[in-house]
Amino acid sequence: MPSCAFVTFGCKINQYDTQAIREEIIDLGYSESGEAEGVDLLVVNSCTVTERAGEKVVEKIRSLTRKNPNARIIVTGCMSETDRLRLEKIPEVVHLIGNEEKHRVAEVIQGEPLLDTKPKRRSRDIFNLKISGFEGRTRAFLKIQDGCDSFCSYCIIPYMRGASRSRDHGPVLEEARRLAAAGFSEVVLTGIHLRQWGLDLGIEDGLAALLGDLRRIEGLERVRLSSIGEGAFTKAFIDAFRADLGLCRFFHVPLQSGSDKILDRMRRDYSIEKFVEAMERVRDRLPDAVLATDVIVGFPGETEADFCLTLQLLERLQFLKVHLFPYSPRPRTSAARLDGHVPPETRAKRMVRARELCQQLQQRGLESRIGDRVQVLIEKGSPRGSTMVAEGLSREGLRVLVESSSAIEIERGSEVEALLHQREGAAIRAHLQSESVRERVAP
Ligand code: SF4
């Protein structure tokens, strides 16, 4: 039996796509090897969202070629769109398969030719990838959207993943049913721009209804969104979360900058006022929700005053998790041609200051949760009689370390109720309250 291994870089969509490719290749008769060493076939699902991300992919491929001298290497994902010349120089790479043909990896392995993908940036064939499980995970990612129509000035994703396309309602529900039947009690809806789900299908504001339909699937106790734009927080959307505890109250809402001037240069489609209004609506209607965000530090034109506005806004909105990215220019993007590039040393100093604030916000945010009862999906269990602490994720996205005074087993994949009592780094320690809370989930 030929052996294969998979290496995934980047976002949750790539992780979803790798899982779908894995299932197809295993169906061809390959056996998956845990170690990417001495295998016959290697599939690298690449990312090039920043310059450094692309460098890491090339470094990894070079180290894989040393450990797998006889392997055929297939590179798919965003780098196979943007860095073809660089990858073509590696002789072990036998195929570069762009995002629009990712669903054909198994066919190409069987000898089918690659097609010319360039004119097909709106093809719906990208949704031919399907999954029925999620290797090594207790929560499954479920792709409902791909591509983006926004063209923010710093971002190359629309060039790599084409136009925004929504997966049809029926196949989304079918896949969720398969995952629930396979024992996944949580799915994480993923997409490049989830708020755009439904627009190309003629559905306005359809996400709330889709969430409701997903929650009616037997066994699917928790539905989470990956990242979602501020424009999604309509009354219907927030009401859906108020009515159903199984919709996870964790919202990752990319802010990018606290300055309207910089948002304008980034070509983001909201103002600070709109963003703040949306977050305050969430705080008001869903007070226990956890908010997370992304911020780009040192975007061209960012002055000290702009940067301070960002820090002030992070503090005002009390984000519990902030992903900070130092700006890095990407070829083909209009931001790379803007004036006012921030010197690297200024950018680095601002990163340090932003990190300090975000750490404080996280500490304060976690400590404010002490005394709450939360439902934790266990990712690392603790065997019966052991002193090991089980670990999992609460519905609000908190990392929780669950301690039990009795000798019971806290099983991986179960959902338990726990009382938060002490912060530990970026996690919170909690006492086990009940072994299963599934019957407490709102209908
Ligand atoms: S919304 Fe902007 S940042 Fe996000 S993928 Fe689209 S272009 Fe990139």
Side-chain angles (χ1 to χ4, degrees), residues 316-358:
R316 173 173 171 194
L317 296 176
Q318 295 289 307
F319 287 105
L320 198 138
K321 294 184 188 171
V322 184
H323 301 259
L324 295 166
F325 300 91
Y327 171 73
S328 82
R330 305 296 289 130
R332 293 177 70 178
T333 61
S334 57
R337 297 186 296 275
L338 284 173
D339 57 6
H341 278 259
V342 176
E345 55 283 11
T346 308
R347 203 162 52 215
K349 281 184 190 153
R350 286 182 189 164
M351 278 295 288
V352 172
R353 287 161 64 198
R355 259 193 220 113
E356 268 167 24
L357 172 67
C358 295

Side-chain angles (χ1 to χ4, degrees), residues 148 150-152 154-155 157-158 192-193 268:
C148 184
S150 291
F151 291 93
C152 298
Y154 54 85
C155 182
I157 287 177
I192 296 294
H193 202 333
R268 301 290 287 173

Side-chain angles (χ1 to χ4, degrees), residues 87-296:
L87 293 167
E88 274 163 4
K89 288 189 191 130
I90 307 175
E92 292 82 356
V93 174
V94 291
H95 293 295
L96 291 174
I97 305 184
N99 283 323
E100 297 280 320
E101 284 207 272
K102 236 181 195 178
H103 60 285
R104 297 194 57 241
V105 171
E107 288 173 30
V108 172
I109 290 170
Q110 289 175 294
E112 294 289 324
L114 280 166
L115 308 169
D116 178 12
T117 62
K118 291 293 176 250
K120 296 175 64 196
R121 311 290 292 179
R122 289 188 176 273
S123 162
R124 299 190 55 76
D125 292 347
I126 53 166
F127 296 121
N128 290 349
L129 284 173
K130 295 181 182 65
I131 62 168
S132 51
F134 225 100
E135 191 60 31
R137 290 188 176 267
T138 47
R139 305 177 297 128
F141 299 138
L142 199 173
K143 179 160 88 172
I144 65 166
Q145 185 274 343
D146 204 339
C148 184
D149 293 333
S150 291
F151 291 93
C152 298
S153 66
Y154 54 85
C155 182
I156 49 171
I157 287 177
Y159 306 98
M160 298 185 297
R161 289 197 170 262
S164 173
R165 282 153 284 177
S166 309
R167 193 169 181 193
D168 284 317
H169 191 256
V172 171
L173 297 186
E174 248 169 61
E175 189 154 282
R177 278 190 209 105
R178 270 200 307 280
L179 292 165
F184 288 90
S185 58
E186 177 176 324
V187 293
V188 184
L189 302 187
T190 62
I192 296 294
H193 202 333
L194 281 187
R195 181 162 63 81
Q196 289 175 353
W197 184 83
L199 295 182
D200 55 318
L201 304 174
I203 308 169
E204 283 278 343
D205 211 2
L207 210 44
L210 179 67
L211 291 169
D213 291 342
L214 284 165
R215 280 284 294 129
R216 279 187 277 280
I217 292 175
E218 204 185 324
L220 202 55
E221 312 293 353
R222 317 193 340 170
V223 180
R224 188 181 300 277
L225 300 167
S226 52
S227 166
I228 183 100
E230 52 72 42
F233 293 90
T234 59
K235 184 173 181 309
F237 184 79
I238 295 178
D239 283 350
F241 282 80
R242 273 173 67 86
D244 183 355
L245 296 172
L247 297 180
C248 295
R249 296 172 177 196
F250 169 77
F251 301 112
H252 181 141
V253 195
L255 165 66
Q256 308 304 13
S257 171
S259 152
D260 275 321
K261 180 193 93 189
I262 298 298
L263 288 184
D264 203 42
R265 297 194 110 205
M266 289 177 168
R267 286 211 234 113
R268 301 290 287 173
D269 62 355
Y270 51 85
S271 63
I272 296 300
E273 189 184 352
K274 267 180 71 186
F275 191 95
V276 170
E277 266 172 28
M279 295 304 93
E280 285 181 345
R281 261 197 310 277
V282 177
R283 285 262 179 258
D284 186 40
R285 310 269 297 155
L286 297 166
D288 57 341
V290 166
L291 296 179
T293 195
D294 296 332
V295 164
I296 298 175

Side-chain angles (χ1 to χ4, degrees), residues 4-120:
C4 62
F6 302 87
V7 182
T8 310
F9 291 87
C11 60
K12 293 186 174 78
I13 290 213
N14 264 11
Q15 294 181 41
Y16 173 93
D17 290 344
T18 299
Q19 174 61 24
I21 294 167
R22 168 187 285 119
E23 290 185 16
E24 290 191 348
I25 292 179
I26 286 173
D27 277 353
L28 291 181
Y30 281 78
S31 70
E32 184 174 1
S33 160
E35 296 288 313
E37 206 158 338
V39 297
D40 302 302
L41 175 71
L42 269 162
V43 178
V44 178
N45 197 356
S46 63
C47 168
T48 180
V49 72
T50 61
E51 195 64 36
R52 181 67 197 126
E55 282 161 13
K56 277 192 194 161
V57 174
V58 173
E59 283 162 18
K60 183 73 181 176
I61 294 174
R62 295 214 183 278
S63 95
L64 288 171
T65 56
R66 286 193 292 276
K67 291 185 194 154
N68 299 275
N70 301 318
R72 295 162 73 204
I73 301 182
I74 292 181
V75 182
T76 184
C78 294
M79 247 190 123
S80 58
E81 301 272 343
T82 55
D83 290 77
R84 298 187 77 84
L85 291 176
R86 200 163 159 200
L87 293 167
E88 274 163 4
K89 288 189 191 130
I90 307 175
E92 292 82 356
V93 174
V94 291
H95 293 295
L96 291 174
I97 305 184
N99 283 323
E100 297 280 320
E101 284 207 272
K102 236 181 195 178
H103 60 285
R104 297 194 57 241
V105 171
E107 288 173 30
V108 172
I109 290 170
Q110 289 175 294
E112 294 289 324
L114 280 166
L115 308 169
D116 178 12
T117 62
K118 291 293 176 250
K120 296 175 64 196

